[in-house]
Amino acid sequence: MAACGAQAPSSEQAWLEAAQTFIQESLCPTDKELNVQFTQSVIDCVKTVWLSQGKYQGFTLPLSYSFVSVQNLRTHQRLPCCSHLSWSSSAYQTWAQKARPNGVPLPRERLLLVGTLTDLSGDLEQGSRNGSLYVKDNTGMLGCELIDLDLSWLGHLFLFPSWSYLPPARWNSSGEGHLELWEAPVPVFPLTVSPGPLTPLPVLYPEIASRLLRHRSKFRVEQQNLAGKLIQLSALVKSKKKAYFILSLGELSPTISQAISHVSIIVQIPAQLVWHRALCPGKAYVLTQLRVSRIRGHHYCVWMTSPSSHLMLLEPECVQELELEGPFLEADSKSLPTSSNFQDKKEPKGLMRDSRLLHYTGTVTGVLNEPAGLYELDGQLGLCLAYQQFHDLRRVMRPGVCLELQDVHLLQSVGGGTTRPVLASCLRGAILLRGFSCQKPGTQSSLQTHGASLYEQLVWERQLSLPLYLWAVKALEELACKLCPHLLRHHQFLQHSSPRNPSLGLQLLAPTLDALAPPSRSIRNAHKEILEEPHHCPLQKYAQLQTPYSFPTLATLAEEGRHRAWASFDPKVLLPLPEAAYLPCCQLNHRLAWSWICLPPAAFHPPQALVGVLVASSHKGCLQLRDRSGSLSCLLLAKHSQPLTDPQLIGCLVRTEKFQLVVERDVRSNFPSWKELGMTGFIQKQQARVYVQFFLADALILPVPRSFHHSSAPPQTESTCLGQSRLFLLSHKEALMKRNFCTSLGTTSEVPKPTLSFHVSGCWLGGTQKKERIGWGPPEPLTDENKDQKVLLIFLGSSVRWFEFLHPGEIYRLVAPGPATPKLFEVEGSSCTSQRPLELAGCVSCLTVQDEWTLELESAQDLPDMLGIHKALSGSLLTDLLGANVTDSLVSFSAEILSRTVCESLKPVCQMKPGNTEVRRCVKLTVAIGTADSEFLPRLDIYIEDPHLPPPLGLLPGARVHFNQLEKRISRSHNVYCCFRSSTYVQVLSFPPETTVSAPLPHIYLAELQQGTWGPFQATASCHVISVVSLQLLWVCAHCTSVCPQGRCIRQGPACSIQTSISQASIRLLVEDGTAEAMVTCRNYHVAAALGLCPNEWTSLLEFIRKPGRVVLKFTGPGAQLESSAKIEEPLILYLHTLCTSPSVLRPVVLSFELERKPSNITPLEPPRLQRFQCGELPLLTRVNPRLRLACLCIQESSEHPNSQGAFASSC
């Protein structure tokens, strides 16, 4: 116990010595000698506050506390902290609980802060005053915030018993922290109270003062004193020239006639700006020595403070109303200054809304976007401070701060993605701090620290309305999350935009902002916004905004596309009845194997805008858009029928609102028949290929400077600026596919695998050129001028990224960086290509393009010798394409894709790999070949098999495509079709239209199909059924298509695992329309229409056929020959015979058809034959053209012959 007693004095002595040293160094005036009384006064002040808590545990001095200087706080205190000298530990714990559970309380440090409270920022010049408060000692000064300021405190030394210090935030470019003074400071020396005036102060009240302004021409207005209740306080406006604020005084106890009487006063003297922190709405004040001044650019005058003006609380016994005489004292009906422009402006009714002005006090519960001035109040309101200058307030804003909002606008249903009501303050209203937050500031992301100047630009320069501003902020957040920090830096993406250094973020929003809010040359007038009545500001009127666009991540967009694709995938919709009921399982599953959907931006709500960095994939050889979430394959065209050719587009930022999101669905299924289409268990595998396609002309292309990239390139040195290049003219490009390349012997023991690659052939244009400072030097002379300059370039590995940019007819520069290497582009032969392919390509050498080499597009206009280059797409003559000539089996043409289906492979089973039991499939494209000299487009089938699967992007129905060097083949039925080969090159010319309008089939005469020119492949004709040539009705196994009598498969060998039978039917009709005859084949459900049967009659007839399994009738003359799989009863035969020869079948019809065989020149047309006709008693012999062979698409009843009833008695 004695030891403790001895230890206490020694501890107090050490604390006192440290305190004296600190006070002498940090607080004592530097121009005066050591003052013992000054030091003792500081220590006594500390002791008084320490003992006031009542629980000092026997210590008269706060031994656990130490003095801290401003400099120590700025340099050593890296973390937020607080200090409460007058608080006990339990009081601090109670206070800290307010921060939980959503936040972390400020940690407590035992520090003593003493300093001078001042509004001077470093010197005594009044120009250095801007309304800010500071705590100052001999070591420096710190900005501070104080809730209730007494002007008499300025310039005095205080002990601050309760305060918190926050280090500079990441966004704070000044690098200065700030203090938050929680309680009233304790003066070290007693404050002198200024005595009141000896005589009452003559004052004018608002009603008389406002009349005096209106009649100033009749009365000489001298400096006056104004008194009244503070009813309005504006924001502190800071411009480049000056800073000011405006306050309004009203009557103390207004009568009904004085209810609207108030007078506005402008305070712009720098030393008086600090009044803004001391004024409290609702209290009464006196302002002295006011003068009348005219505002530049306005027609009215206002009261304004002078350098000798003072602010004091109104005490009725110390003032006396000044009595003035004159006619202006009579009440008049003239109103305060009004805005005629605003009153005369007519807004569309029903679109514009008026915001509501109110006062609100609430607590900040969330920080939505600090640089943009967006916060959350009381968990249910939004708060926007962007329309004020809130720089000083921004540093204290965090959850837990209490605010009083004067004259704040309430906007509801603003739209633009904002669902909650929003409070927004204009320059007329003040934001008063009413309580600090006990929470520790959270960790700020880069998105929350950058962009303040850009957001200010949107409000003050672009003058966006609040709904549009909220959308722009949300859009910039989405874009920053997409692109930063992996592709771009936050501070560069959200930087202030200027003509020389535009902001990428603002450039991406510019198309939408320019459409909704064109740039305005007018600027916000703060005086009008604060003074004029009725009030008019950017927040006064607003319209609910329909969200223009959203900017989802590429991964989100692709996932949404997949979700919609599979949500809309319904086999019953893709294969509707009655068509699906007649398909065997193999055709059924092939028809379901591939489908696609195309989603335009308008298909999403809100519409989507596509944004990403364009990159070229070195793994797939396609173009991709990339953002932070991943990459999305894309197909780009410069514009209609023009491919992408400029490699400099790589690395550019792309934004487009016109695109097509394509989802190709690939399904592996084993549905037994159409009856099980609703059971998802028969789907074995499903996958989707998602990509976008758009025209570059519809996109905004923004080059991204190299310094913008997050992984910036190293500075260029003399060695990196070196390089050599050579020009070449591309004449042919082959397919991008996996090829086998031999490797050098002994390099590896692994079996080489096929490598993704492609070839191009062309010719060199001149010799090698070396890099110079101003460009490329002159080409080197060729060693052999007579040598053929044709070359084969091989692209493999990373160099396949250039595939989408290389097109025949263009001139490119092949650039090899680094020091010059002799004959780099003149290598003879190749280690990976034999001489035979070079001979076939007509080249004498080949060159493998290295991974680090680059390509540049050159213009033919810059090369005088190349001005005559013909860049038109190559094409084969239609007669050669559809003819029997097979000497030139490679053909080229442009065509529109009509359909795309999956079918069985054309390769025989013997060519399949051993042990591979999977059924090989191929893709079949049906195209309409475009010709300039034909009204109707011939059709052709194109087959794509491995290794060309999956097909290139963009081969969709409705797209127009140029096919180069397809292999032409002729089938056994003399049909012409084409197949992909390694030499095939595909170029998409146009995308499928977003809206397809099915044009009606042309109505023709049958004789038009027998003319020499190409007729329509599909058409409609009005004709008459002459006779039925044959009829076949059968039930087959859905698995093996064998006949199924009584529903059982009769296939020999292993029995079918699926015992499901389906019906099939076909009928051949002889029709004529007066110009020609045709043999028409109708299948399946079209047979019912041909026989004139309703659905119930047709179903009953098929059930009669189920027992025998197959019925075949052939009409070769007056009788019928019967062929069947079992004994058939005579009534059924008689019924079918009677039906096929009845007027219900032999009738006029409107026939929609297609040619049974695609047109070609392989088989010549049959010559007309002689045929005898009987006309009465006279026989006639004439030449008759051969019968056409058509396939039925639809049979409709002729309007001249209504549909007859069926043969069955029961009606449908």
Side-chain angles (χ1 to χ4, degrees):
M1 191 70 180
C4 294
Q7 184 180 0
S10 61
S11 300
E12 291 183 358
Q13 185 64 29
W15 187 91
L16 287 173
E17 292 177 357
Q20 293 173 358
T21 303
F22 172 83
I23 295 171
Q24 295 170 9
E25 294 178 353
S26 302
L27 300 178
C28 285
T30 56
D31 57 346
K32 296 182 180 180
E33 298 180 356
L34 177 62
N35 192 335
V36 178
Q37 185 178 0
F38 181 92
T39 304
Q40 189 61 39
S41 298
V42 175
I43 296 176
D44 291 343
C45 181
V46 173
K47 290 175 62 176
T48 302
V49 176
W50 165 253
L51 296 175
S52 65
Q53 65 173 325
K55 296 181 180 180
Y56 45 86
Q57 299 177 354
F59 295 99
T60 59
L61 292 174
L63 302 182
S64 59
Y65 283 79
S66 59
F67 285 91
V68 63
S69 66
V70 169
Q71 183 180 10
N72 286 337
L73 278 179
R74 295 171 56 180
T75 56
H76 300 297
Q77 190 64 37
R78 303 295 185 184
L79 298 177
C81 67
C82 67
S83 179
H84 304 282
L85 177 62
S86 60
W87 289 13
S88 64
S89 298
S90 59
Y92 169 76
Q93 293 297 333
T94 304
W95 175 81
Q97 288 297 328
K98 299 178 181 179
R100 299 185 177 93
N102 298 324
V104 178
L106 286 167
R108 186 179 187 181
E109 298 288 343
R110 299 183 180 273
L111 299 174
L112 297 175
L113 181 64
V114 181
T116 301
L117 188 64
T118 180
D119 62 337
L120 284 170
S121 59
D123 51 45
L124 297 178
E125 297 181 4
Q126 289 200 355
S128 62
R129 288 184 167 102
N130 58 5
S132 300
L133 284 178
Y134 304 92
V135 171
K136 180 181 179 181
D137 63 9
N138 294 344
T139 64
M141 64 172 44
L142 266 178
C144 69
E145 294 293 336
L146 185 62
I147 295 177
D148 292 319
L149 173 66
D150 189 333
L151 294 178
S152 63
W153 294 347
L154 297 177
H156 294 277
L157 186 66
F158 288 94
L159 167 67
F160 302 100
S162 183
W163 54 273
S164 56
Y165 171 73
L166 282 82
R170 293 178 58 185
W171 56 265
N172 194 340
S173 59
S174 65
E176 298 286 342
H178 75 280
L179 292 166
E180 295 175 352
L181 307 181
W182 286 73
E183 295 180 359
V186 179
V188 175
F189 304 102
L191 300 179
T192 57
V193 179
S194 59
L198 298 177
T199 59
L201 191 66
V203 297
L204 294 177
Y205 286 100
E207 184 179 7
I208 302 299
S210 61
R211 291 183 190 176
L212 193 60
L213 285 179
R214 292 195 294 270
H215 297 277
R216 63 189 179 277
S217 60
K218 303 178 182 179
F219 188 83
R220 183 180 178 183
V221 181
E222 299 177 352
Q223 289 189 346
Q224 300 290 341
N225 306 321
L226 266 62
K229 181 189 294 184
L230 181 63
I231 62 173
Q232 182 179 316
L233 180 64
S234 78
L236 182 61
V237 182
K238 297 179 180 180
S239 63
K240 295 180 179 179
K241 296 182 179 180
K242 60 184 177 180
Y244 62 92
F245 68 92
I246 302 176
L247 59 94
S248 295
L249 297 180
E251 296 292 337
L252 298 179
S253 300
T255 62
I256 297 177
S257 62
Q258 297 175 334
I260 60 173
S261 295
H262 68 273
V263 61
S264 298
I265 305 168
I266 297 181
V267 180
Q268 62 181 15
I269 305 300
Q272 299 167 0
L273 295 179
V274 74
W275 294 1
H276 192 271
R277 296 176 175 270
L279 291 168
C280 181
K283 291 185 178 181
Y285 296 94
V286 176
L287 283 85
T288 65
Q289 301 296 310
L290 301 183
R291 57 187 176 90
V292 177
S293 177
R294 181 184 296 273
I295 301 177
R296 181 177 299 179
H298 299 271
H299 64 279
Y300 49 83
C301 296
V302 294
W303 292 100
M304 188 176 295
T305 60
S306 62
S308 58
S309 298
H310 289 85
L311 172 70
M312 60 185 70
L313 288 173
L314 174 60
E315 298 179 5
E317 63 275 8
C318 297
V319 298
Q320 180 181 2
E321 184 175 3
L322 180 65
E323 297 182 0
L324 298 177
E325 297 180 359
F328 60 87
L329 293 179
E330 299 177 2
D332 54 16
S333 59
K334 292 184 179 180
S335 61
L336 294 174
T338 59
S339 173
S340 59
N341 294 336
F342 172 70
Q343 290 177 332
D344 296 339
K345 186 176 180 181
K346 296 182 179 179
E347 301 289 353
K349 294 183 178 180
L351 297 179
M352 302 302 296
R353 304 181 181 185
D354 289 318
S355 61
R356 180 183 174 188
L357 272 177
L358 49 82
H359 301 320
Y360 186 87
T361 300
T363 303
V364 177
T365 53
V367 179
L368 305 180
N369 190 316
E370 185 175 343
L374 300 180
Y375 303 90
E376 180 189 70
L377 276 182
D378 298 329
Q380 56 187 356
L381 293 174
L383 174 63
C384 178
L385 305 181
Y387 290 82
Q388 275 198 8
Q389 298 166 328
F390 66 105
H391 303 86
D392 295 337
L393 190 62
R394 178 184 174 187
R395 60 188 182 182
V396 301
M397 293 292 286
R398 61 185 186 276
V401 171
C402 184
L403 299 176
E404 179 183 345
L405 308 175
Q406 295 285 326
D407 289 323
V408 66
H409 292 265
L410 173 63
L411 296 87
Q412 304 185 61
S413 303
V414 296
T418 303
T419 57
R420 69 180 75 189
V422 179
L423 293 174
S425 186
C426 66
L427 296 177
R428 183 174 185 172
I431 303 173
L432 306 178
L433 190 62
R434 290 294 175 248
F436 295 111
S437 172
C438 59
Q439 289 189 23
K440 181 180 177 181
T443 304
Q444 292 181 316
S445 64
S446 297
L447 182 61
Q448 291 288 341
T449 57
H450 301 294
S453 60
L454 177 60
Y455 295 126
E456 291 178 7
Q457 193 172 9
L458 294 177
V459 173
W460 297 93
E461 295 183 19
R462 294 299 300 258
Q463 300 189 32
L464 300 185
S465 63
L466 180 64
L468 190 55
Y469 174 73
L470 295 178
W471 172 81
V473 171
K474 183 179 179 182
L476 287 172
E477 288 179 350
E478 292 178 348
L479 291 170
C481 292
K482 280 169 57 66
L483 303 173
C484 305
H486 301 299
L487 301 177
L488 301 171
R489 297 178 184 269
H490 278 97
H491 69 92
Q492 292 168 325
F493 180 73
L494 297 174
Q495 70 180 5
H496 184 273
S497 186
S498 62
R500 293 186 177 181
N501 192 16
S503 166
L504 282 177
L506 189 56
Q507 284 181 294
L508 290 175
L509 295 186
T512 304
L513 297 182
D514 291 343
L516 297 178
S520 175
R521 293 185 178 180
S522 62
I523 59 175
R524 284 177 67 181
N525 190 311
H527 290 102
K528 281 188 175 182
E529 191 169 315
I530 299 173
L531 293 173
E532 286 189 347
E533 294 290 348
H535 175 58
H536 179 50
C537 72
L539 302 173
Q540 181 63 29
K541 287 186 174 291
Y542 68 100
Q544 186 176 9
L545 178 68
Q546 297 295 330
T547 305
Y549 292 96
S550 64
F551 299 90
T553 62
L554 297 178
T556 301
L557 185 64
E559 185 60 32
E560 178 66 17
R562 292 189 188 93
H563 173 74
R564 295 198 180 196
W566 295 119
S568 62
F569 177 73
D570 188 356
K572 292 184 178 180
V573 176
L574 295 175
L575 289 177
L577 292 175
E579 179 185 7
Y582 300 93
L583 295 177
C585 66
C586 59
Q587 296 183 18
L588 190 75
N589 292 304
H590 282 158
R591 295 280 295 275
L592 296 173
W594 183 87
S595 57
W596 69 294
I597 64 170
C598 180
L599 299 173
F604 301 90
H605 183 74
Q608 312 280 291
L610 193 65
V611 175
V613 177
L614 186 64
V615 296
S617 173
S618 58
H619 302 287
K620 298 181 180 180
C622 65
L623 295 177
Q624 294 178 333
L625 286 178
R626 184 170 296 170
D627 64 8
R628 186 179 176 184
S629 66
S631 57
L632 182 62
S633 299
C634 59
L635 178 61
L636 272 68
L637 294 179
K639 52 185 178 180
H640 189 77
S641 300
Q642 290 191 9
L644 206 63
T645 56
D646 191 358
Q648 292 186 354
L649 292 171
I650 294 180
C652 291
L653 198 57
V654 179
R655 177 204 193 267
T656 179
E657 302 166 4
K658 298 179 180 180
F659 64 92
Q660 295 177 341
L661 179 65
V662 179
V663 185
E664 298 184 14
R665 297 176 292 215
D666 188 10
V667 176
R668 300 295 176 97
S669 60
N670 58 351
F671 289 101
S673 67
W674 63 275
K675 297 179 181 180
E676 292 79 15
L677 288 179
M679 304 179 184
T680 58
F682 291 100
I683 298 179
Q684 299 172 320
K685 181 182 178 181
Q686 60 183 26
Q687 59 185 9
R689 182 166 69 162
V690 186
Y691 58 95
V692 292
Q693 52 188 22
F694 57 91
F695 292 105
L696 213 59
D698 296 332
L700 176 66
I701 308 298
L702 300 176
V704 180
R706 185 174 297 273
S707 60
F708 271 44
H709 292 284
H710 188 264
S711 55
S712 58
Q716 291 189 352
T717 60
E718 184 178 356
S719 59
T720 58
C721 295
L722 300 176
Q724 52 188 335
S725 67
R726 195 171 184 183
L727 295 174
F728 72 94
L729 172 64
L730 195 149
S731 58
H732 175 67
K733 181 173 76 169
E734 295 193 352
L736 178 66
M737 55 181 290
K738 289 188 176 182
R739 292 178 172 85
N740 292 317
F741 287 98
C742 61
T743 57
S744 302
L745 297 177
T747 58
T748 178
S749 59
E750 297 181 0
V751 178
K753 297 181 180 180
T755 304
L756 187 67
S757 63
F758 69 97
H759 302 163
V760 299
S761 58
C763 60
W764 296 116
L765 302 178
T768 303
Q769 296 174 266
K770 293 183 180 180
K771 185 72 174 180
E772 296 181 352
R773 291 185 177 181
I774 58 175
W776 295 103
E780 297 178 353
L782 300 177
T783 56
D784 187 359
E785 296 288 346
N786 298 324
K787 180 182 176 181
D788 193 355
Q789 297 299 316
K790 291 184 178 180
V791 65
L792 182 71
L793 299 178
I794 302 175
F795 293 79
L796 72 160
S798 296
S799 62
V800 299
R801 66 186 184 275
W802 306 112
F803 178 79
E804 292 292 339
F805 296 99
L806 292 169
H807 299 281
E810 300 289 348
I811 300 173
Y812 298 91
R813 182 181 297 276
L814 191 60
V815 180
T821 303
K823 299 184 178 181
L824 180 63
F825 302 114
E826 301 177 6
V827 180
E828 296 286 347
S830 177
S831 60
C832 57
T833 304
S834 62
Q835 198 65 25
R836 179 58 179 166
L838 295 178
E839 296 175 358
L840 295 176
C843 303
V844 297
S845 64
C846 77
L847 183 66
T848 301
V849 177
Q850 304 300 316
D851 293 345
E852 65 274 10
W853 292 2
T854 59
L855 281 177
E856 297 177 2
L857 179 68
E858 293 290 335
S859 174
Q861 298 178 355
D862 300 334
L863 304 172
D865 297 337
M866 298 291 112
L867 292 178
I869 293 180
H870 184 60
K871 297 183 180 181
L873 297 173
S874 60
S876 303
L877 295 176
L878 194 60
T879 54
D880 297 336
L881 178 61
L882 302 179
N885 181 19
V886 294
T887 56
D888 187 8
S889 62
L890 297 180
V891 295
S892 303
F893 55 87
S894 298
E896 178 184 348
I897 300 178
L898 301 178
S899 65
R900 172 174 168 177
T901 56
V902 175
C903 60
E904 294 183 2
S905 175
L906 300 180
K907 297 180 181 179
V909 181
C910 60
Q911 294 186 12
M912 297 179 61
K913 296 181 180 179
N916 187 3
T917 59
E918 183 179 358
V919 179
R920 300 186 63 177
R921 305 190 299 177
C922 76
V923 175
K924 173 186 174 183
L925 302 178
T926 300
V927 301
I929 305 174
T931 58
D933 56 350
S934 178
E935 179 183 1
F936 304 107
L937 307 181
R939 300 194 176 192
L940 195 67
D941 290 336
I942 301 174
Y943 294 89
I944 309 174
E945 296 187 276
D946 280 334
H948 302 281
L949 294 179
L953 303 181
L955 299 187
L956 304 171
R960 186 164 182 80
V961 184
H962 178 75
F963 299 92
N964 191 55
Q965 293 201 1
L966 290 169
E967 181 185 8
K968 184 183 75 173
R969 294 182 181 180
I970 301 175
S971 67
R972 287 176 292 183
S973 58
H974 304 292
N975 273 328
V976 176
Y977 65 97
C978 294
C979 295
F980 269 47
R981 284 293 169 260
S982 61
S983 61
T984 302
Y985 159 62
V986 176
Q987 178 182 330
V988 177
L989 302 178
S990 65
F991 305 131
E994 293 186 3
T995 57
T996 57
V997 179
S998 55
L1001 296 177
H1003 197 281
I1004 65 170
Y1005 293 104
L1006 296 179
E1008 295 181 36
L1009 300 176
Q1010 297 175 332
Q1011 298 175 358
T1013 58
W1014 301 109
F1017 181 70
Q1018 293 180 342
T1020 300
S1022 298
C1023 53
H1024 192 281
V1025 179
I1026 301 175
S1027 63
V1028 176
V1029 179
S1030 65
L1031 173 65
Q1032 178 177 249
L1033 305 172
L1034 68 162
W1035 287 82
V1036 298
C1037 175
H1039 181 67
C1040 66
T1041 66
S1042 300
V1043 178
C1044 292
Q1046 298 182 351
R1048 292 190 299 272
C1049 179
I1050 61 174
R1051 186 181 70 166
Q1052 301 295 327
C1056 290
S1057 58
I1058 302 174
Q1059 292 295 328
T1060 303
S1061 59
I1062 59 173
S1063 61
Q1064 291 186 344
S1066 66
I1067 188 172
R1068 300 185 69 192
L1069 305 175
L1070 181 62
V1071 301
E1072 59 87 19
D1073 68 344
T1075 64
E1077 292 183 346
M1079 191 71 69
V1080 181
T1081 302
C1082 303
R1083 300 185 183 279
N1084 299 328
Y1085 60 94
H1086 295 306
V1087 176
L1091 296 179
L1093 301 178
C1094 68
N1096 289 344
E1097 292 174 340
W1098 175 245
T1099 303
S1100 301
L1101 176 60
L1102 292 178
E1103 289 300 322
F1104 277 104
I1105 306 299
R1106 184 184 292 272
K1107 181 178 180 180
R1110 181 170 181 247
V1111 172
V1112 178
L1113 293 178
K1114 293 184 179 180
F1115 298 84
T1116 58
Q1121 296 182 351
L1122 176 64
E1123 178 184 350
S1124 63
S1125 58
K1127 185 177 181 180
I1128 304 178
E1129 300 177 357
E1130 292 298 329
L1132 182 58
I1133 299 298
L1134 179 61
Y1135 166 74
L1136 293 175
H1137 179 271
T1138 304
L1139 179 64
C1140 292
T1141 56
S1142 66
S1144 62
V1145 177
L1146 309 180
R1147 67 193 190 278
V1149 294
V1150 178
L1151 178 68
S1152 298
F1153 61 87
E1154 67 179 8
L1155 300 180
E1156 196 172 68
R1157 185 171 61 85
K1158 292 182 173 60
S1160 67
N1161 295 331
I1162 297 176
T1163 56
L1165 294 176
E1166 299 179 12
R1169 68 182 187 280
L1170 289 174
Q1171 186 171 349
R1172 185 182 300 276
F1173 293 90
Q1174 191 72 24
C1175 183
E1177 297 181 356
L1178 297 176
L1180 298 178
L1181 190 65
T1182 184
R1183 294 184 180 274
V1184 179
N1185 289 324
R1187 292 172 177 171
L1188 299 168
R1189 296 186 177 273
L1190 308 176
C1192 173
L1193 298 177
C1194 178
I1195 291 183
Q1196 296 177 339
E1197 300 299 326
S1198 174
S1199 59
E1200 301 176 358
H1201 183 79
N1203 187 20
S1204 60
Q1205 296 293 330
F1208 289 152
S1210 59
S1211 64
C1212 297

